[in-house]
Amino acid sequence: MTSSKLLSLIFLHLAFLVFVLDHANAEGLKIGFYQQTCPSAEAIIKNTTAQYISRAPSLAPALLRMHFHDCFVNGCDGSVLINSTKNNVAEKDSAPDLSLRGFQVIDGVKTAVEKECPGVVSCADILALVARDAVSMIKGPFWPVPTGRRDGRVSTAQNALNNIPSPFFNITQLQASFASKGLSVKDLAVLSGAHTIGISHCFPAVTIRLYNFTGKGDTDPTIDPNYAAVLKKICKPGDLTKLVEMDPGSRKTFDTHYYSIVSKRRGLFHSDGALLSDSVTKAYVLSQISNGSTFLKDFGPAMVKMGKIGVLTGKSGEIRKRCAFIN
């Protein structure tokens, strides 16, 4: 058996185990979960989110990213929202989460929902709905969000470090990370497309790639040299403050342009360029820059699937009164 076939079998086995472990809980989710207990919940969430996005559209990609980071650590249980205490460093204070923003949106939405229906709607569901509504409000796709999640009580920085895919990851590491959450190689290609909106700081995932990729003062050989030259004018060694577009020229529009730049080896992160290193992900990238693009149709189902990772339902977890604090 070849190493690639063995790796594929390992991925499938991981995905099956995650499916078996999570399936029962995920079955507790349904569209309109709060129809009887808080019928106005989704309207309140949408309207309150709109108040923030209308003033700051750049919060949309930030909230989408926050939902992704939440789901990849302990499942979609709102644990990314919990504050650190003197006895515990929480997820939001881990290195991968330090650049997350938009927590005030979740707090504002939670406050509005609590006024109408105290102790009914979970922070985990609010985050999933806010991410969807925020993307839709900047003319991105809309997808149905099954609800019924409950909030987790565990949030540690180490869990975030162990589970959030790194922008340094190669394709094998990315596939393993997604497989461990029950997500397919296609899901990896589709969800990576979220980088079609938003910006990044010139943090180490960018500057190391430009100036010291293997520790020898070199540039990542998988990046287009012309694009690297452009980035070097923006991001100087050690720069942590300058902002750079993840999808140059189209960062405010939820479209297929991201796949176009990846195909030209102009993805901002090494993990973007890694999509060209696998036959399935490369084929998906190339198919999105033709007239037969399916990304806008594919994105919603992939988000629904991601939103079911490791959910707590029924009597598991809790409904937090304030999203940043365990009851």
Side-chain angles (χ1 to χ4, degrees):
M1 181 182 291
T2 64
S3 58
S4 61
K5 285 185 178 180
L6 179 60
L7 195 58
S8 296
L9 286 173
I10 292 171
F11 290 153
L12 287 171
H13 182 62
L14 282 170
F16 177 74
L17 285 176
V18 171
F19 175 81
V20 170
L21 291 172
D22 289 350
H23 189 61
N25 276 346
E27 285 299 302
L29 302 182
K30 66 177 184 178
I31 302 296
F33 179 84
Y34 299 106
Q35 197 164 9
Q36 302 299 321
T37 56
C38 188
S40 59
E42 294 198 25
I44 293 171
I45 292 168
K46 180 179 179 181
N47 293 336
T48 309
T49 301
Q51 294 173 18
Y52 287 93
I53 300 301
S54 64
R55 296 193 300 265
S58 66
L59 283 170
L63 291 162
L64 179 61
R65 180 171 177 245
M66 188 188 296
H67 181 37
F68 178 90
H69 280 220
D70 182 44
C71 289
F72 263 68
V73 185
N74 299 331
C76 311
D77 66 347
S79 56
V80 73
L81 306 170
I82 296 172
N83 284 350
S84 295
T85 65
K86 63 179 181 180
N87 298 318
N88 178 63
V89 181
E91 290 172 36
K92 65 167 60 172
D93 290 317
S94 68
D97 287 343
L98 289 176
S99 58
L100 289 182
R101 63 191 189 94
F103 292 103
Q104 76 277 16
V105 180
I106 305 302
D107 291 339
V109 171
K110 177 64 170 174
T111 298
V113 173
E114 284 292 303
K115 285 181 181 178
E116 181 69 19
C117 310
V120 174
V121 183
S122 70
C123 297
D125 274 343
I126 286 174
L127 178 51
L129 288 162
V130 165
R132 186 274 310 275
D133 289 342
V135 168
S136 178
M137 286 166 191
I138 60 166
K139 300 182 179 180
F142 180 93
W143 58 94
V145 175
T147 46
R149 298 168 188 79
R150 288 171 65 84
D151 298 322
R153 296 176 55 84
V154 176
S155 181
T156 67
Q158 192 59 51
N159 275 349
L161 286 170
N162 292 345
N163 285 278
I164 295 174
S166 166
F168 290 109
F169 272 6
N170 60 35
I171 193 63
T172 302
Q173 293 168 314
L174 288 169
Q175 289 174 331
S177 175
F178 275 63
S180 73
K181 308 303 177 185
L183 299 175
S184 69
V185 178
K186 181 182 177 181
D187 294 327
L188 165 60
V190 174
L191 293 172
S192 294
H195 287 176
T196 185
I197 50 174
I199 55 178
S200 170
H201 286 92
C202 292
F203 72 129
V206 178
T207 54
I208 290 176
R209 189 182 188 205
L210 295 175
Y211 299 105
N212 200 26
F213 186 64
T214 64
K216 299 177 181 178
D218 55 341
T219 300
D220 182 350
T222 67
I223 192 172
D224 171 60
N226 293 325
Y227 179 52
V230 170
L231 286 178
K232 286 179 179 179
K233 291 180 181 179
I234 303 170
C235 299
K236 302 301 181 184
D239 188 352
L240 298 174
T241 58
K242 292 269 181 56
L243 297 174
V244 59
E245 297 175 315
M246 290 195 291
D247 185 359
S250 185
R251 70 174 176 85
K252 296 182 179 180
T253 307
F254 203 103
D255 57 19
T256 60
H257 190 257
Y258 164 81
Y259 294 103
S260 178
I261 64 167
V262 168
S263 72
K264 298 171 183 174
R265 299 192 296 131
R266 296 175 186 170
L268 182 61
F269 305 122
H270 183 73
S271 57
D272 293 319
L275 296 178
L276 298 177
S277 302
D278 172 80
S279 60
V280 175
T281 52
K282 182 177 181 179
Y284 189 84
V285 168
L286 297 180
S287 69
Q288 302 314 306
I289 60 179
S290 66
N291 291 332
S293 170
T294 59
F295 171 58
L296 297 180
K297 181 182 70 176
D298 294 338
F299 191 74
M303 287 297 296
V304 171
K305 189 175 177 182
M306 185 194 80
K308 294 180 178 180
I309 297 172
V311 294
L312 301 173
T313 59
K315 295 183 179 180
S316 301
E318 64 183 20
I319 304 295
R320 289 204 290 275
K321 296 174 183 176
R322 292 185 294 168
C323 294
F325 303 94
I326 297 171
N327 291 343

